[in-house]
Amino acid sequence: MKDETTGCSDQEKRDAAVELLKELKKKLHSDNITTARVAAHKLSWMQEDGLAILREALFGSHSRTVKKAAAYGLRSMKGRMKKLALEVLEEGLKHRNPTTKAVCEKALFLMKGGVPEKRGSRSRSNSSRRKIGEMRNRNRSRRRFTERRTSFNR
């Protein structure tokens, strides 16, 4: 049956959706974290199909980058899928892989409104900083000294 607005049949639409899912899955397994996160975010909009792919990426034997991107995608889910994504992340806390546990723990922390602590930016205490003081004007002090000196000579 052909759709009147696009002119595509149902089979063509299904094939295009399957092709898109394959492409997103390939990008999710990228070594580049940005590419993987973008793919995970797009998968988060794909309802059950996206959830299945993100779940497989999180629990499979994949790199840390893939697991982090999958957790990002699960975190990004909206609507009725958010509850299912939460269940997947909570299931990940019981997983035997330490990377999966850590990724799920952080994703749940962020979903609950936690603010991550930044590693490299340790703030120094105020006591260790040098205080800025006023600089004396050398010319003024020399002038006074020379004025005094000349006044004594007279």
Side-chain angles (χ1 to χ4, degrees):
M1 180 175 175
K2 288 222 176 212
D3 187 10
E4 294 172 9
T5 57
T6 60
C8 297
S9 68
D10 290 339
Q11 184 62 34
E12 289 172 343
K13 286 182 182 179
R14 274 190 228 111
D15 292 342
V18 168
E19 194 62 37
L20 177 64
L21 286 171
K22 283 181 184 177
E23 183 183 326
L24 288 174
K25 187 174 181 180
K26 184 179 176 184
K27 286 183 179 181
L28 179 66
H29 294 282
S30 169
D31 289 334
N32 184 350
I33 188 69
T34 305
T35 305
R37 282 176 60 120
V38 168
H41 183 72
K42 288 180 180 177
L43 283 167
S44 73
W45 287 95
M46 300 283 181
Q47 303 292 319
E48 286 87 3
D49 295 330
L51 180 69
I53 292 172
L54 292 171
R55 180 187 177 109
E56 184 269 327
L58 185 64
F59 294 135
S61 58
H62 302 290
S63 69
R64 168 178 251 128
T65 304
V66 174
K67 290 178 184 287
K68 283 183 174 183
Y72 174 76
L74 289 167
R75 242 178 41 224
S76 300
M77 292 211 155
K78 304 287 183 210
R80 65 184 181 88
M81 298 306 291
K82 190 167 190 152
K83 185 177 180 183
L84 296 172
L86 248 169
E87 290 174 5
V88 170
L89 289 170
E90 287 171 352
E91 184 183 332
L93 293 175
K94 300 170 190 162
H95 201 266
R96 66 182 187 281
N97 186 337
T99 304
T100 303
K101 279 183 188 177
V103 165
C104 289
E105 188 177 317
K106 184 163 184 182
L108 287 169
F109 172 73
L110 292 172
M111 281 181 90
K112 291 177 179 156
V115 178
E117 186 178 303
K118 294 192 177 183
R119 271 192 199 167
S121 62
R122 283 183 267 147
S123 62
R124 294 190 292 182
S125 64
N126 289 338
S127 62
S128 66
R129 291 184 182 176
R130 278 184 65 175
K131 294 188 177 179
I132 299 174
E134 284 190 41
M135 301 252 324
R136 283 189 359 206
N137 188 349
R138 290 184 183 178
N139 293 336
R140 185 182 301 169
S141 62
R142 283 185 186 163
R143 193 176 330 135
R144 286 183 185 162
F145 183 70
T146 54
E147 286 174 7
R148 287 184 203 154
R149 194 176 202 191
T150 54
S151 63
F152 288 127
N153 291 340
R154 288 187 188 177

